Every structure is written in structure tokens, then in C-alpha cells.
Amino acid sequence: MPRIKRWINMHKKEFNPDGTLKQEAREEMLSGGMSNKTIDDYAFRLKQKYDKWKHLDETDPEPWPVYTAYDFFTEEEKRQFNPDGSLKPEYVEQALQKGISENWLEEMERRKKIDVNNYNAVSAKYAEQGINFGEEQMQERIASSRTYGQRLKQMAIDLRNYESPDSLPFDKETSYW
């Protein structure tokens, strides 16, 4: 229930997981000079928002596309690795035939498994807070790919205007022109 998780995360210092105001928060507000009426109004308004979000989660849940670390592998990595980060047997066989050492293959696999485990841990931690880490990463990747062509066009203009090479987004020796 992402909406509720976000609400709880935003208000966890003052409110219980059921949307009610914590007694210690009430006492702190009273000691800060707030009236009972003001505190009750505040608690009521936030409880209404909690109930609304809870109802929406139950009747119209937000889409929660699930992305795995494998979704972020390059095409080459997808040819080499399984979704859990282990090397594919056919890749190991080909690599050994090409003279790649077994130690290096073990190291590649170890590193990729660490990457996958890190992705899974971060994704789980974010999900506890009602945040879809995989979706955020995918949207970032999509946005970057959309601006790639724009950056190439701007670089051509910058080159014509004799901009400093270190201010360019790509190496000017690339063969895109």
C-alpha cells in the first residue's frame, strides 16, 4: 500500500501507524502553546487524509511495476549473467575457450552478485517507505535517453561556436558528426 506507507513515513514522529495522533506528540504540542482544539483539528485533518489514502489504496491501488536488477543489465551483461548475477554456463564455456581465466570469471560473478544484492537491498528499503526504487531508476534512464539526441545537437552547435572541449558533454572526436 504505497500511499499509506508514504503517509506513515511522512508523519511517523507524530502519528501511529493507524493514523491516530501519538500521545507524546499531543503533549509536546500542548507544551508548545497549542490549544486542545487546535491539536484536535490538526489530528482530525490528518486522520481524514490517512483514511482517504487508505481507501484509495484499497479501491484504486497505484501501479507498482516491479523492476529487478536484471532490467538494468546491459545487453552484453544479459548475455553473460543470469538475473541473480551468476554467470551463464554457456558464457563461462566460451570465455574459458577464449583463454579468460577461471579466477577472472569468478571475480566477475562475485562483483555482479554484489551489484544485484545491493540493488535488492536498496529496493526493499525504499519499498518500506512506499517508494518504488526500480521505477525511479527506470524513469531516470528513460529521461536520460530522451535528452541524448538533444545533447548531441547542442554539442554540434557548441563545436561550431568554438566552445571549450571540456565543457562538451561528449568527446569531440566521436564519430557522430
Side-chain angles (χ1 to χ4, degrees):
M1 296 175 22
R3 292 179 187 107
I4 287 297
K5 284 185 179 183
R6 284 196 305 271
W7 188 95
I8 291 169
N9 192 48
M10 288 187 305
H11 300 289
K12 63 184 167 194
K13 290 182 181 177
E14 296 177 323
F15 289 85
N16 296 309
D18 67 354
T20 58
L21 184 66
K22 291 181 178 178
Q23 184 59 36
E24 53 270 19
R26 175 178 288 283
E27 291 168 6
E28 189 176 318
M29 291 176 195
L30 283 169
S31 69
M34 289 178 77
S35 70
N36 270 320
K37 184 177 182 329
T38 304
I39 295 168
D40 289 343
D41 182 57
Y42 173 70
F44 178 74
R45 283 184 289 112
L46 271 102
K47 177 66 169 142
Q48 281 185 316
K49 185 175 273 191
Y50 171 91
D51 291 340
K52 177 183 175 187
W53 283 21
K54 184 176 181 192
H55 177 73
L56 282 171
D57 280 342
E58 292 167 354
T59 59
D60 185 23
E62 291 181 313
W64 190 274
V66 176
Y67 293 99
T68 66
Y70 190 74
D71 294 315
F72 298 95
F73 285 11
T74 64
E75 289 307 312
E76 179 65 21
E77 289 170 329
K78 287 180 180 181
R79 283 191 288 279
Q80 297 170 338
F81 297 97
N82 293 309
D84 68 351
S86 62
L87 284 167
K88 291 183 175 182
E90 58 273 16
Y91 175 76
V92 171
E93 187 180 315
Q94 292 170 355
L96 289 172
Q97 288 174 359
K98 291 179 183 175
I100 296 175
S101 77
E102 210 169 305
N103 287 340
W104 174 245
L105 293 172
E106 288 170 4
E107 180 63 14
M108 284 174 62
E109 183 173 84
R110 184 187 75 80
R111 289 179 183 183
K112 186 51 75 178
K113 283 184 175 183
I114 289 171
D115 288 346
V116 169
N117 290 337
N118 287 342
Y119 175 90
N120 292 339
V122 170
S123 186
K125 185 73 175 167
Y126 274 55
E128 288 173 10
Q129 300 170 28
I131 301 167
N132 189 331
F133 177 72
E135 184 175 23
E136 283 188 353
Q137 295 297 302
M138 190 59 72
Q139 293 304 321
E140 188 176 302
R141 185 175 273 196
I142 290 167
S144 291
S145 68
R146 285 185 184 146
T147 62
Y148 178 77
Q150 294 166 335
R151 291 189 312 242
L152 279 175
K153 288 177 187 174
Q154 184 59 47
M155 185 167 157
I157 294 167
D158 290 346
L159 282 171
R160 285 193 300 269
N161 292 333
Y162 303 103
E163 293 288 334
S164 169
D166 15 336
S167 71
L168 301 173
F170 307 106
D171 182 356
K172 71 177 185 175
E173 301 303 320
T174 55
S175 59
Y176 297 116
W177 328 111

